[in-house]
Amino acid sequence: MIDRNRLFGTFMDICATDSEPKKERLLAEKLTRHLLELGFVVTEDDAGEKSGGDTGNLFGRLEGRGGGTPLLFSCHMDRVSPGRGVRPRIEGDFIVSDGTTVLGADDAAGIAAILEALTAIKERNLPHPTVEVVFTVAEELALVGSRFFDLGRVAAPCCFVLDASGPVGEIVIQAPEQAKIQAVFNGRKAHAGFAPEEGVSAILMAAAAISRMKLLRVDPQTTANIGSISAAGPTNIVPDRCELEAEARSLDPEKLRVQVNLMTEAMRSAAAAQGGSVEITVTSCYPGYTLAEDSQPARRAASAAQRVGLPVTFKSTGGGSDANIFNSGGLPSVVLSCGYEAVHTTAERIALDQLASLADWVLALISDGADGGHSTS
Ligand SMILES: [Zn+2]
């Protein structure tokens, strides 16, 4: 049912359309036209105005023909840098960029698969449940866009977010909560040659604090990282200020709290031991989630995958996605793997067969949702 060449063409056209975070206008207009042609009612929310971007989240609804449970699919329109002027091409069994930019398969693959599945349904005039899509903005900037999306507009009981690396058929049902720690160490300036003993080095406080922390892979569920440490100053002055930024993530909220406490305590005790002080700000970036394998979205994703012959695996991820926001807002959401590889690098690529399988999966999900179901088998 899937027209592979049309799918690959749509995919490469999306990749070739500039769509950096907060600058998704061109792609949003293209996708709006596409959705309108498919019969969707499309609206754009005010996420752009609220977040300083030029585009809001697109929300589309295609009324069902023949009943069934409404479905919601979600992808993000933006991509990481370098993501302007992408020149996608087919090389052997893969679609790749020219090596100077990312490909943008993250998340063009999800969008193209949804559009192709819907086009195939429209061509054949098949019955389908109500289908909703939300294409978010600025996902790559810590999930900015989805935070402004009003879940009250959604009719579907759950959401399928197409936005994960890994072979098509994998279903992400668990993701960590993430906290960010910002710290400013305050010491005392002194001449580094004449009277260093009169100074309190903010850099040494930060260094001592870091050396007391357990970082990177903390335990199977928990990670932590120092992302930046900065102090500007000439070498002949004992530095009185040093800024540090760190993060911690865990699938277990209690373990996250423990890890954050250990990190902030290491900072406070290091500062106190050297006669300085530290100001610490802890921010919760997004909540985590854990869904059961028999939860509605996981079950539906698995049965649709099996029906089109995809090997099904449930997995947890170490990263955040719009599903974190939707789940925390009360909409059960799983993330479907899209088959792309090496995302966020200029070596990003996707196998042609994986992209086609993703469209097959979306098509199966929609047909399974229709009353009578299984119309593609
Ligand atoms: Zn993504």
Side-chain angles (χ1 to χ4, degrees):
M1 292 244 310
I2 293 298
D3 181 330
R4 287 170 62 102
N5 287 334
R6 182 173 60 199
L7 168 64
F8 302 152
T10 303
F11 170 78
M12 289 195 280
D13 184 36
I14 297 170
C15 292
T17 306
D18 287 348
S19 188
E20 291 193 306
K22 298 193 176 180
K23 291 178 188 145
E24 299 91 348
R25 176 54 49 202
L26 267 181
L27 181 57
E29 284 172 5
K30 180 168 284 186
L31 296 179
T32 299
R33 283 195 298 275
H34 213 129
L35 290 170
L36 290 174
E37 281 165 20
L38 287 165
F40 277 76
V41 174
V42 185
T43 52
E44 183 180 328
D45 70 13
D46 57 1
E49 288 152 45
K50 286 178 171 167
S51 64
D54 68 5
T55 312
N57 302 304
L58 289 188
F59 180 61
R61 176 182 286 127
L62 177 67
E63 290 304 327
R65 286 184 50 247
T69 313
L71 290 120
L72 171 65
F73 296 101
S74 178
C75 299
H76 60 89
M77 292 189 281
D78 60 316
R79 65 185 68 138
V80 296
S81 172
R84 284 166 58 85
V86 175
R87 285 184 290 271
R89 60 191 158 88
I90 295 175
E91 195 174 274
D93 297 331
F94 292 86
I95 302 176
V96 298
S97 77
D98 67 2
T100 64
T101 66
V102 297
L103 175 60
D106 173 12
D107 204 15
I111 298 172
I114 292 166
L115 294 177
E116 174 56 32
L118 289 162
T119 305
I121 284 168
K122 183 175 183 199
E123 264 179 352
R124 287 166 180 77
N125 221 5
L126 296 173
H128 60 81
T130 292
V131 178
E132 297 171 318
V133 297
V134 55
F135 294 147
T136 62
V137 292
E139 190 270 351
E140 299 288 6
L141 302 179
L143 321 178
V144 163
S146 56
R147 294 170 199 268
F148 293 109
F149 179 67
D150 177 9
L151 289 173
R153 304 168 68 192
V154 171
C158 61
C159 179
F160 304 98
V161 177
L162 281 71
D163 188 18
S165 297
V168 174
E170 288 187 347
I171 302 162
V172 176
I173 54 172
Q174 191 179 40
E177 176 178 354
Q178 187 188 150
K180 190 169 186 178
I181 305 172
Q182 290 165 297
V184 180
F185 290 89
N186 296 302
R188 188 168 58 243
K189 271 187 185 159
H191 193 286
F194 300 149
E197 43 283 288
E198 289 173 15
V200 175
S201 167
I203 290 178
L204 289 187
M205 283 189 271
I210 293 169
S211 71
R212 290 176 199 184
M213 295 176 191
K214 186 168 185 197
L215 294 168
L216 304 180
R217 173 63 62 190
V218 176
D219 66 44
Q221 294 173 299
T222 312
T223 58
N225 186 46
I226 307 293
S228 82
I229 173 162
S230 59
T235 60
N236 62 352
I237 296 176
V238 176
D240 67 341
R241 183 183 170 92
C242 178
E243 295 176 26
L244 181 151
E245 285 196 340
E247 64 152 57
R249 307 180 192 215
S250 185
L251 296 169
D252 180 336
E254 184 52 32
K255 285 184 174 171
L256 179 63
R257 267 179 279 289
V258 168
Q259 175 65 20
V260 168
N261 283 342
L262 287 171
M263 292 169 78
T264 54
E265 202 34 57
M267 295 175 188
R268 288 201 181 88
S269 61
Q274 298 186 35
S277 64
V278 62
E279 301 152 44
I280 302 171
T281 310
V282 178
T283 320
S284 173
C285 300
Y286 47 76
Y289 62 86
T290 301
L291 296 178
E293 291 181 11
D294 65 354
S295 62
Q296 184 179 168
R299 199 166 21 86
R300 288 170 73 178
S303 85
Q306 277 157 357
R307 205 159 57 71
V308 290
L310 293 168
V312 171
T313 321
F314 294 106
K315 68 171 189 178
S316 71
T317 177
S321 74
D322 286 336
N324 289 65
I325 304 300
F326 297 154
N327 276 304
S328 75
L331 182 68
S333 306
V334 292
V335 186
L336 309 185
S337 286
C338 297
Y340 39 66
E341 304 167 30
V343 293
H344 297 195
T345 77
T346 54
E348 183 184 11
R349 64 178 194 168
I350 186 167
L352 297 171
D353 285 345
Q354 285 284 293
L355 184 52
S357 292
L358 186 60
D360 285 336
W361 194 6
V362 173
L363 183 56
L365 270 163
I366 297 173
S367 351
D368 281 1
D371 276 352
H374 292 215
S375 55
T376 60
S377 56

